[in-house]
Amino acid sequence: MKKLIAGAILLGASSMAFAQPGCGVGAMIWKGQSGIAPHVLAATTNGSFGNQTSGMTTGTLGCSTNASVQSMAMYMDSNIDKVARDMSRGNGENLDTLAILLGVEQADRDSFRSVLQDNFAAIFPNADTTSDQAISAIVALLQQDAGLSKYVAA
Amino acid sequence: MPALAETVSVPAGLYLSPGWLTLGHYHQPSLSSDYKSQADDDAFFLSVDGKLSPEAELTATLTAIQQPGGGDRHARCRFPARSTWLQQELNLHLPAVDCPAYQQWQNELNTETVTLVFAASYLNSPSSMFGHTFLRLDPPQDDNDTDLLLANTISYAADAAAHDGELMFAYRGIFGGYPGITTVRPYYEKIRLYSDIEHRDLWEYHLNLKQSEVDRMTAHAWEIQDKNFDYYFFDENCAYRLLALIDVARPGTNLLDEVNTHAIPSDTVRWVIDKNLVGHVEYRASAATAVSHSLDSLSAQQQLIASALANGYLKPNSPELMALNETDRAAVLDATYDYVRYQSEADGWPRDFAAPLSHALLRERSSLNAVYPPPPPEPAVRDDQGHNTFRLSLGSGRTEVGGSSRNFSQLTFRPAYHDLLDPPEGYRPGAQLQFLRLDARYYTDNDELQLEKLTGVEIRSISPRNRFFSPLSWQVSFGGRRTDTGRERVLAPYLDGGAGGSWRIASNTQAFALATADLEIDNDLGRGYDAAPGADLGFLHQNPRFSLMAGVKTKAWIVSNQHRQDQLYGKASWHLGREFSVFAEFNREDHFDRMQNTWQAGLHAYF
């Protein structure tokens, strides 16, 4: 039964990503799921699926930021290693998904990809970077970019 | 409360119409018996007799949907597909009803088309060898903001307790004991599970359902979501429940009628294709397939560098790498990273080694401006295009012991699924899974019909090792078989196991060496049972035209009667398309100080 309840929470949480949530409900769900934010390069051993997605924490972002950023945070939490991989290569469907969740328009996609690739080392300074830290770094980078800052406006 | 239902005239026998029976998951367990719903959840019914009476359920539903009011607890909100069906059948004009939860759910799903996703089997887990299917609900794709990774999926699965091992899963899966639940989850989670963790390639079959059909399907998915339908491994499994959803979407499809004794996911995909439900098909390689492909794409020298990088002997900025041009360096770094990720998932490489290495690889890669090589090519033959899984074989053979010989005809009947000598396309190379295979022999000299062998389950996984991957090859089987006691051949229950390694010696060819252990139990054996450690050395060649396996086996029976049993064996099949194979087998055996030769040849038919 416990598995099912966890599943229901995740479903609730994940459907937020599509609904572009207001922060109230999302913050509530995340609070209930507090745990260690996944390390970006965590060696995810023993294939236990549930555990890897349970670290829904965007505490550092809280309600102050916009809904798209929260959606991106949700996605990063369960796909962080693939996002990092795509980012280092400057392309890939996981990077495109981030762009879509942030609402980055086609015209800005190339610049979005290259900003993230060029600043990989700033986003992921070391192997212990958590998804929270990576997201904060991404938001900060985009805010500094004249063409991309509109997508992360609070 | 006004019972408005009485004012509506319900045609006699409406409750027996296929539309209603499909929506209620009603079936007749046998032709003569009464209807019973496969739903095992009181919340799925509005009548207390609903499980056993489609008529009572229809009456109760009709009454309930005509009640005034609305809100999430109203019958029309809990059972939107049923109430729509009834309204259309009876031409009812009910006032609009407000269902906030259902409405929100439909809005979030935002489904325009539906894709049937087949997660191919993978080698090392019996519970997954049949493959798995689920449905993906695709949003409209008319702008650039659609992303299928974010699309939702519907799947039906056993809610197996996490601590149940493979054997317990198989047992409870076959005999019942797991609740089955329909769940809705995003596609990226499924990809993570099937493609990254379980290493299963995904095939995406786009269904040609119209919007009204899609809406009916999602409405019914709402009705069965989180409702318990007991899960059975062979028939009422993941694939079966999805077929029911497709039947609901397009009435008259009757996919469930195809299911007799079992619903193997790859077969169910074939049925869906046969019913002209599939538009186009797409392939998504698993992490394992992708990493093999990117390693194979490297030159021998680059592979050496990748291996040294992955094992920590070289750093990502070592001179050996810097000597490569930018494109090659990117390819080596990409392949190595994918390999380290794969090993972390599959082999549990320790984090304190893998994480800094992964980070260094990605960081180095981010400075290179090279396009990642294209993903692995789609296999020429899809899983649903492989041979059918039901096999009937007719053969004729001869055994020679000393000076005497006997001729026999052999009939083999195998409901599922694939053996190493069957046409290999659409199946994993080196993987074998057989269930409930029955071999019967008719000896012509004395008109005797004998059960030669009954295989309960037989699994073999012969998987080559190389510089990057070191899988274990293994086998396990149990059943009953004829065994030689020295005086007669008796039918004895057996349990065999084995483990070892395999190495690729040419393309499509591998050599294997397995240590084996056999156990037989029978009153006719000296102490009632016997056990034999042994060895099996052989090679296996599989290509679309023919398959060949040959080798030597030796066993030392050590309990009841101490003697060796040495065998030289060869088996070959010529594949005439994917419907028929001609097979030949030879076995030469030294046992009880006498030599026995057995020849056999015949035809396999797959359907």
Side-chain angles (χ1 to χ4, degrees):
Chain A
M1 203 56 212
K2 200 172 157 209
K3 259 178 115 179
L4 282 178
I5 293 165
I9 290 169
L10 282 176
L11 171 63
S14 56
S15 60
M16 307 287 298
F18 317 115
Q20 308 259 313
C23 63
V25 188
M28 216 169 64
I29 288 163
W30 287 326
K31 206 171 271 172
Q33 284 288 296
S34 69
I36 301 158
H39 289 289
V40 171
L41 300 159
T44 42
T45 53
N46 73 35
S48 170
F49 179 54
N51 293 341
Q52 288 154 27
T53 49
S54 61
M56 301 283 176
T57 53
T58 45
T60 54
L61 298 164
C63 293
S64 63
T65 189
N66 75 17
S68 318
V69 173
Q70 290 209 13
S71 300
M72 176 182 74
M74 293 303 292
Y75 186 76
M76 291 271 283
D77 258 351
S78 34
N79 298 278
I80 189 92
D81 53 328
K82 287 196 264 186
V83 171
R85 182 194 63 193
D86 286 2
M87 222 174 260
S88 79
R89 294 170 186 177
N91 65 67
E93 60 180 355
N94 295 283
L95 199 53
D96 290 345
T97 301
L98 284 200
I100 287 163
L101 289 171
L102 286 177
V104 178
E105 285 157 26
Q106 281 297 331
D108 293 327
R109 293 276 173 93
D110 279 342
S111 126
F112 177 77
R113 291 188 195 103
S114 56
V115 164
L116 295 185
Q117 187 187 18
D118 294 346
N119 291 285
F120 182 89
I123 297 167
F124 301 113
N126 57 56
D128 293 322
T129 311
T130 64
S131 65
D132 277 4
Q133 291 163 349
I135 291 159
S136 302
I138 292 170
V139 171
L141 271 169
L142 297 180
Q143 275 167 348
Q144 288 158 24
D145 187 288
L148 299 171
S149 60
K150 60 182 181 232
Y151 300 115
V152 289
Chain B
M1 242 182 270
L4 296 174
E6 284 162 19
T7 65
V8 179
S9 74
V10 180
L14 182 67
Y15 68 95
L16 287 176
S17 75
W20 183 251
L21 296 175
T22 308
L23 283 168
H25 298 259
Y26 289 106
H27 286 261
Q28 284 173 296
S30 65
L31 279 181
S32 56
S33 61
D34 292 334
Y35 281 95
K36 186 176 176 184
S37 173
Q38 288 170 335
D40 301 286
D41 199 322
D42 290 342
F44 184 70
F45 304 103
L46 286 163
S47 157
V48 285
D49 302 320
K51 184 169 170 70
L52 296 172
S53 169
E55 187 175 15
E57 185 62 18
L58 189 141
T59 308
T61 308
L62 186 56
T63 308
I65 65 172
Q66 295 181 89
Q67 297 299 330
D72 291 335
R73 296 305 307 158
H74 194 278
R76 284 170 70 193
C77 298
R78 289 169 61 204
F79 299 102
R82 265 189 227 178
S83 49
T84 304
W85 183 86
L86 266 179
Q87 287 176 69
Q88 284 169 354
E89 288 295 316
L90 299 174
N91 207 14
L92 289 179
H93 297 284
L94 299 176
V97 67
D98 188 31
C99 305
Y102 172 63
Q103 209 49 56
Q104 190 197 348
W105 192 74
Q106 281 285 24
N107 291 345
E108 277 176 20
L109 293 183
N110 185 25
T111 312
E112 184 179 69
T113 55
V114 175
T115 298
L116 174 68
V117 185
F118 174 71
S121 60
Y122 85 117
L123 207 48
N124 267 309
S125 166
S127 56
S128 83
M129 275 192 172
F130 284 139
H132 180 74
T133 46
F134 57 92
L135 295 173
R136 191 183 69 201
L137 307 174
D138 300 345
Q141 295 184 55
D142 48 9
D143 57 47
N144 292 312
D145 287 350
T146 22
D147 185 311
L148 292 175
L149 291 181
L150 298 172
N152 274 302
T153 64
I154 299 182
S155 68
Y156 171 74
D159 183 41
H163 51 81
D164 281 1
E166 287 287 345
L167 273 179
M168 190 59 183
F169 180 84
Y171 174 83
R172 295 184 69 179
I174 292 165
F175 297 106
Y178 283 131
I181 298 286
T182 306
T183 51
V184 177
R185 306 291 282 267
Y187 191 40
Y188 65 75
E189 280 189 13
K190 295 284 165 188
I191 291 176
R192 171 126 194 82
L193 176 61
Y194 293 115
S195 182
D196 300 348
I197 297 177
E198 297 196 344
H199 314 305
R200 300 157 73 150
D201 294 345
L202 298 178
W203 289 97
E204 304 167 349
Y205 300 85
H206 292 258
L207 304 183
N208 54 22
L209 297 177
K210 293 195 289 281
Q211 186 69 55
S212 57
E213 296 170 326
V214 169
D215 292 345
R216 192 150 48 226
M217 177 188 278
T218 48
H220 187 58
W222 171 260
E223 294 175 345
I224 60 172
Q225 192 188 208
D226 300 331
K227 304 289 190 302
N228 175 30
F229 286 71
D230 286 351
Y231 188 94
Y232 295 91
F233 199 50
F234 288 112
D235 49 8
E236 292 182 40
N237 57 18
C238 63
Y240 184 91
R241 206 50 64 200
L242 298 186
L243 295 182
L245 272 172
I246 298 173
D247 280 349
V248 166
R250 185 173 288 178
T253 308
N254 298 335
L255 280 164
L256 283 186
D257 292 352
E258 305 281 343
V259 183
N260 294 315
T261 53
H262 56 276
I264 296 176
S266 59
D267 284 340
T268 64
V269 171
R270 290 187 184 105
W271 301 333
V272 171
I273 291 173
D274 290 346
K275 299 271 186 188
N276 293 320
L277 278 151
V278 173
H280 61 285
V281 184
E282 275 166 44
Y283 171 71
R284 176 183 278 274
S286 72
T289 307
V291 70
S292 296
H293 173 75
S294 45
L295 289 169
D296 287 346
S297 309
L298 301 178
S299 71
Q301 185 228 356
Q302 290 166 4
Q303 285 190 3
L304 203 61
I305 296 175
S307 170
L309 267 178
N311 289 293
Y313 303 125
L314 279 184
K315 294 264 169 286
N317 55 0
S318 300
E320 288 84 349
L321 264 152
M322 293 304 172
L324 302 174
N325 69 40
E326 191 161 319
T327 310
D328 286 350
R329 210 178 339 148
V332 169
L333 290 169
D334 285 347
T336 308
Y337 173 76
D338 287 347
Y339 175 67
V340 173
R341 292 297 314 152
Y342 173 88
Q343 290 295 56
S344 303
E345 296 269 14
D347 257 15
W349 276 16
R351 188 192 127 75
D352 54 4
F353 171 75
L357 175 57
S358 300
H359 183 257
L361 290 166
L362 289 184
R363 190 174 172 147
E364 193 63 28
R365 174 64 175 91
S366 70
S367 67
L368 300 175
N369 203 0
V371 177
Y372 186 65
E378 181 175 320
V381 175
R382 299 193 308 257
D383 287 52
D384 66 89
Q385 293 170 323
H387 68 79
N388 284 333
T389 55
F390 186 97
R391 193 181 81 183
L392 192 65
S393 319
L394 192 59
S396 163
R398 181 181 177 89
T399 59
E400 298 163 352
V401 188
S404 68
S405 68
R406 297 183 80 187
N407 292 333
F408 62 83
S409 298
Q410 181 164 317
L411 183 73
T412 301
F413 167 88
R414 185 198 66 191
Y417 161 74
H418 175 72
D419 87 18
L420 292 173
L421 294 159
D422 287 333
E425 292 171 302
Y427 292 82
R428 310 286 84 72
Q432 166 168 321
L433 175 62
Q434 300 197 98
F435 272 97
L436 301 175
R437 169 177 166 171
L438 186 142
D439 296 58
R441 274 188 191 176
Y442 173 71
Y443 287 94
T444 45
D445 54 337
N446 61 348
D447 283 345
E448 189 185 5
L449 185 67
Q450 260 190 1
L451 178 63
E452 176 66 16
K453 190 173 181 183
L454 177 66
T455 309
V457 175
E458 181 173 46
I459 301 166
R460 293 193 91 181
S461 170
I462 307 288
S463 187
R465 304 164 75 91
N466 61 28
R467 193 204 307 273
F468 294 102
F469 303 102
S470 44
L472 186 73
S473 292
W474 58 279
Q475 60 189 30
V476 60
S477 74
F478 65 86
R481 67 181 168 206
R482 290 280 153 194
T483 191
D484 206 337
T485 63
R487 300 178 306 280
E488 56 183 337
R489 296 178 78 235
V490 298
L491 192 70
Y494 73 91
L495 173 66
D496 290 353
S502 175
W503 296 265
R504 178 164 286 127
I505 52 175
S507 81
N508 300 330
T509 308
Q510 43 182 324
F512 58 86
L514 302 173
T516 63
D518 290 19
L519 176 69
E520 289 180 351
I521 300 167
D522 196 273
N523 292 336
D524 294 301
L525 298 171
R527 296 187 185 173
Y529 73 99
D530 211 336
D536 185 352
L537 306 174
F539 73 89
L540 169 69
H541 176 85
Q542 293 176 289
N543 82 46
R545 302 302 302 280
F546 72 94
S547 307
L548 176 67
M549 183 162 63
V552 290
K553 258 191 239 184
T554 181
K555 301 177 200 174
W557 294 101
I558 53 175
V559 178
S560 290
N561 39 12
Q562 283 149 10
H563 59 271
R564 286 255 306 275
Q565 183 178 6
D566 298 323
Q567 288 176 327
L568 174 71
Y569 64 89
K571 298 173 176 191
S573 288
W574 286 263
H575 310 308
L576 318 170
R578 291 180 206 120
E579 284 80 40
F580 297 100
S581 295
V582 172
F583 71 93
E585 295 177 15
F586 170 67
N587 192 55
R588 183 172 171 84
E589 180 174 287
D590 183 7
H591 198 188
F592 296 110
D593 299 323
R594 63 186 185 215
M595 201 64 88
Q596 174 174 316
N597 293 330
T598 305
W599 300 87
Q600 198 188 158
L603 185 74
H604 295 309
Y606 304 89
F607 48 90

